[in-house]
Amino acid sequence: MPLRETHGATIFGCEGHGVTNWEKSFFRDADPLGFILFARNVDTPDQLRRLTSDLRETVGWQAPILIDQEGGRVQRMRAPHWHDYLPALDQMEQAQDPMRAQYLRNRMIAHELHAVGIDVNCAPLADLVERQTHPVLRNRLYGSDIDTVVAAAQVCADAFLAGGVLPVLKHIPGYGRASVDSHKALPRVREGRAALTARDFAPFKQLNHIPMGMTAHIVFEDIDADAPATTSPKMMEVIRHDIGFHGLIMSDDLSMEALSGTPAERAAATIAAGCDIVLHCNGEPDQMEAVAAASGTMTASARIRADAALDQRKTPDDIDFRSLEAELATLLG
């Protein structure tokens, strides 16, 4: 069924383990495309199933529910209820068969997500490890050469899709050269466009068929010295035309300090630049109201891209989780 014309161009976080009365009222009115969960929303499997069900009931449809469950440091669901995973780069370097281990890891993650009603995961990452890559990102990545990163990202996406979970390719068009943490400050890259096209953008071009993507809050000075990719029409032109990514594009979290202005100003600039969806994660009511008003409803083209992405959700293949877990442990020695 096609999306409604009234859907807000937003994905929102929520405050805690359940949906508050204020959130129910706000989400019904704002009608966001979907929701994103964080560690503050996670307690037990039963609690998560109730939360995802209640969020969908509030908006009246099978809205996508996202999470960042990469493994390693960026893992919202943890032991004792869920498997703990190595940082991705550590696993790539340690595994006897890195690509098989990558598939096992992400197929297991998809199984755990789908079981609690989460059907979108913000991965894979196609950023390249560089000498200056900030520690907040470095060990979340898959490698420093294009072929390895593309192969590992594709394996990750395939594993998610087999498990009934949509992948989100990030951070378009490449965050590996960032030497500062965009949660706290705005990274700037001075490399020329030709070098960026040949290296940074190249993995994303090869992966441009993935149904959903997330922008990077990073300035590429040779293309647009005035705005990060998320709020830059010039960079969105690069993403759509040079990289050829035609899937649904959401911003990285508007709450991050890389962006300037009020939440409403950030949201308006993001939509004006060409992003389909604004991602706002912190669950703060005043900010969410301002972001919803500034973002407006989804454009017709955004709805088409969202429909195409959501149509790829499917019933997962059956797996023996413990068997995959044992095989992964063997590959990791």
Side-chain angles (χ1 to χ4, degrees):
M1 180 182 296
L3 295 177
R4 301 187 292 260
E5 292 184 4
T6 57
H7 281 302
T10 48
I11 291 171
F12 283 121
C14 58
E15 187 176 28
H17 291 167
V19 188
T20 67
N21 288 334
W22 181 88
E23 287 170 338
K24 289 178 181 179
S25 176
F26 170 72
F27 291 147
R28 277 194 293 267
D29 291 342
D31 198 17
L33 175 65
F35 305 96
I36 186 165
L37 304 182
F38 286 83
R40 67 178 183 265
N41 308 120
V42 175
D43 185 18
T44 68
D46 285 345
Q47 169 267 323
L48 261 184
R49 279 188 285 269
R50 286 194 301 271
L51 175 59
T52 55
S53 176
D54 288 349
L55 286 168
R56 290 182 170 120
E57 183 179 352
T58 296
V59 292
W61 71 294
Q62 191 67 12
I65 297 181
L66 292 70
I67 200 167
D68 290 286
Q69 188 77 350
E70 299 173 10
R73 183 172 45 79
V74 180
Q75 181 171 335
R76 316 306 186 191
M77 297 158 52
R78 293 189 172 274
H81 299 295
W82 298 280
H83 187 94
D84 278 332
Y85 301 88
L86 288 173
L89 187 60
D90 294 356
Q91 179 175 298
M92 289 292 293
E93 293 172 345
Q94 183 175 328
Q96 296 174 33
D97 181 343
M99 294 304 167
R100 177 60 180 167
Q102 174 79 332
Y103 183 86
L104 294 169
R105 164 206 191 91
N106 289 295
R107 184 62 187 83
M108 290 163 61
I109 288 173
H111 177 84
E112 293 180 311
L113 297 183
H114 194 272
V116 294
I118 297 169
D119 57 5
V120 183
N121 196 12
C122 297
L125 286 71
D127 313 293
L128 296 165
V129 174
E130 306 286 1
R131 175 188 53 78
Q132 73 270 34
T133 303
H134 193 277
V136 77
L137 180 68
R138 187 181 188 88
N139 71 356
R140 298 164 55 192
L141 305 183
Y142 308 147
S144 58
D145 70 275
I146 293 170
D147 289 345
T148 296
V149 169
V150 169
Q154 185 62 63
V155 165
C156 175
D158 291 344
F160 289 164
L161 288 167
V165 171
L166 294 180
V168 178
L169 181 64
K170 64 186 188 186
H171 305 83
I172 300 175
Y175 182 34
R177 292 186 193 267
S179 57
V180 301
D181 178 2
S182 62
H183 293 87
K184 301 177 179 178
L186 178 61
R188 304 186 72 91
V189 170
R190 296 179 178 176
E191 199 71 32
R193 182 168 184 162
L196 293 169
T197 299
R199 181 163 170 79
D200 303 58
F201 303 166
F204 295 95
K205 186 168 186 176
Q206 293 189 51
L207 296 162
N208 62 16
H209 54 278
I210 289 177
M212 302 174 75
M214 179 185 291
T215 63
H217 297 333
I218 183 170
V219 169
F220 297 93
E221 293 184 350
D222 196 43
I223 302 173
D224 187 346
D226 298 322
T230 300
T231 59
S232 167
K234 293 177 182 177
M235 287 307 307
M236 290 303 301
E237 183 79 7
V238 168
I239 291 168
R240 290 299 193 195
H241 295 281
D242 297 5
I243 293 174
F245 188 87
H246 298 300
L248 185 77
I249 294 184
M250 69 186 73
S251 71
D252 205 342
D253 181 15
L254 291 195
S255 306
M256 294 162 65
E257 294 307 313
L259 300 181
S260 60
T262 66
E265 290 167 343
R266 297 175 184 186
T270 296
I271 296 298
C275 279
D276 296 313
I277 297 293
V278 163
L279 180 65
H280 183 272
C281 299
N282 67 20
E284 295 185 10
D286 290 349
Q287 290 192 19
M288 290 198 293
E289 288 179 331
V291 166
S295 302
T297 56
M298 294 175 66
T299 65
S301 56
R303 291 197 305 274
I304 290 169
R305 287 189 279 265
D307 276 327
L310 297 180
D311 280 348
Q312 296 191 40
R313 294 186 292 189
K314 69 171 202 174
T315 302
D317 303 330
D318 291 333
I319 63 164
D320 180 341
F321 187 90
R322 296 307 172 198
S323 176
L324 269 59
E325 187 177 40
E327 184 183 353
L328 180 59
T330 299
L331 290 176
L332 294 176

